[in-house]
Amino acid sequence: EAGVAQSPRYKIIEKRQSVAFWCNPISGHATLYWYQQILGQGPKLLIQFQNNGVVDDSQLPKDRFSAERLKGVDSTLKIQPAKLEDSAVYLCASSLETGFNQPQHFGDGTRLSIL
Amino acid sequence: DAKTTQPPSMDCAEGRAANLPCNHSTISGNEYVYWYRQIHSQGPQYIIHGLKNNETNEMASLIITEDRKSSTLILPHATLRDTAVYYCIVRASGYSTLTFGKGTMLLVSP
């Protein structure tokens, strides 16, 4: 089965610019997650979708970050405007459904560098 | 979710068993132990999970102590490709969020 697809693989922007990341989850996976991984740390959850509804966005900095999952499949994560501290790898993951101990499957992420 | 404690780094010789420990002394009865690993420049990869019984799959074995306060992930014959950061995560049943710590950096050497 095809894995979680993310693009772009790398992105370099200047502070105050905007950027968007795209994620295509594994086919049939209802739950989709976005994580932020700062260098030297473990991934931190930003937002979780169940189909096209938000389950948890408590860690999402909503003044600058937004995410959507139209039609319950692909998802985009946007940062506007970017700050230096947003430099990180942004990981997308998906699982069959919320709970029931379904493992999450991760993409290889987008590495964002802010100049 | 309960907090986990892992050593920051471990070394293992190629072909030998790698035993990665994890302490989770505050684990609750409905919390599972999950292991993921992250190879450099890749996303985390699911390895195995368990509640109280020992588990084995094609990648690894998970040994959970009887009191469930600690566990060990065993890679029976480590290869250079097993060099990665290994994360031990405790997660409540029916709750899907994963809380990652800093994990253990396992270096497998020839």
Side-chain angles (χ1 to χ4, degrees):
Chain A
E1 95 189 329
V4 175
Q6 291 189 248
S7 67
R9 192 77 171 89
Y10 304 93
K11 189 72 177 179
I12 301 173
I13 62 172
E14 295 185 349
K15 60 182 178 183
R16 291 188 290 274
Q17 287 187 324
S18 62
V19 64
F21 314 123
W22 174 81
C23 172
N24 181 238
I26 293 173
S27 178
H29 280 197
T31 310
L32 184 146
Y33 314 79
W34 283 101
Y35 288 82
Q36 180 193 59
Q37 186 171 25
I38 293 172
L39 186 65
Q41 300 181 18
K44 183 186 81 171
L45 180 71
L46 292 175
I47 190 168
Q48 175 186 344
F49 291 93
Q50 175 73 10
N51 296 309
N52 61 348
V54 175
V55 175
D56 182 357
D57 64 356
S58 58
Q59 299 298 309
L60 188 74
K62 299 180 186 63
D63 57 334
R64 298 183 300 106
F65 285 65
S66 65
E68 60 181 9
R69 189 183 185 198
L70 300 176
K71 301 181 181 179
V73 181
D74 293 3
S75 178
T76 56
L77 176 68
K78 297 179 182 178
I79 308 175
Q80 182 179 14
K83 292 185 175 181
L84 293 176
E85 60 260 35
D86 298 332
S87 291
V89 176
Y90 290 85
L91 294 159
C92 179
S94 69
S95 64
L96 275 172
E97 57 187 314
T98 299
F100 303 104
N101 300 306
Q102 297 292 334
Q104 296 181 21
H105 301 271
F106 287 79
D108 286 336
T110 297
R111 182 175 298 276
L112 175 65
S113 297
I114 312 293
L115 303 179
Chain B
D1 290 337
K3 180 180 170 63
T4 62
T5 303
Q6 298 179 254
S9 64
M10 293 184 63
D11 294 326
C12 180
E14 188 177 22
R16 305 297 292 266
N19 298 288
L20 293 97
C22 179
N23 286 323
H24 32 77
S25 58
T26 61
I27 193 170
S28 300
N30 69 339
E31 290 180 318
Y32 284 70
V33 179
Y34 279 76
W35 284 84
Y36 283 75
R37 74 179 182 184
Q38 188 170 22
I39 296 169
H40 182 62
S41 295
Q42 296 183 20
Q45 176 189 23
Y46 166 78
I47 301 173
I48 198 167
H49 74 279
L51 182 62
K52 55 183 179 181
N53 297 321
N54 297 336
E55 302 287 345
T56 295
N57 63 19
E58 65 279 4
M59 290 183 67
S61 295
L62 173 60
I63 308 298
I64 302 174
T65 57
E66 191 169 345
D67 63 7
R68 303 209 321 121
K69 293 185 176 181
S70 66
S71 61
T72 301
L73 180 74
I74 301 172
L75 308 178
H77 305 287
T79 71
L80 300 180
R81 288 190 299 270
D82 292 322
T83 291
V85 177
Y86 287 76
Y87 296 99
C88 170
I89 300 166
V90 171
R91 173 184 169 190
S93 175
Y95 186 63
S96 59
T97 296
L98 296 174
T99 302
F100 289 82
K102 292 191 175 181
T104 296
M105 175 66 217
L106 175 69
L107 177 63
V108 181
S109 303

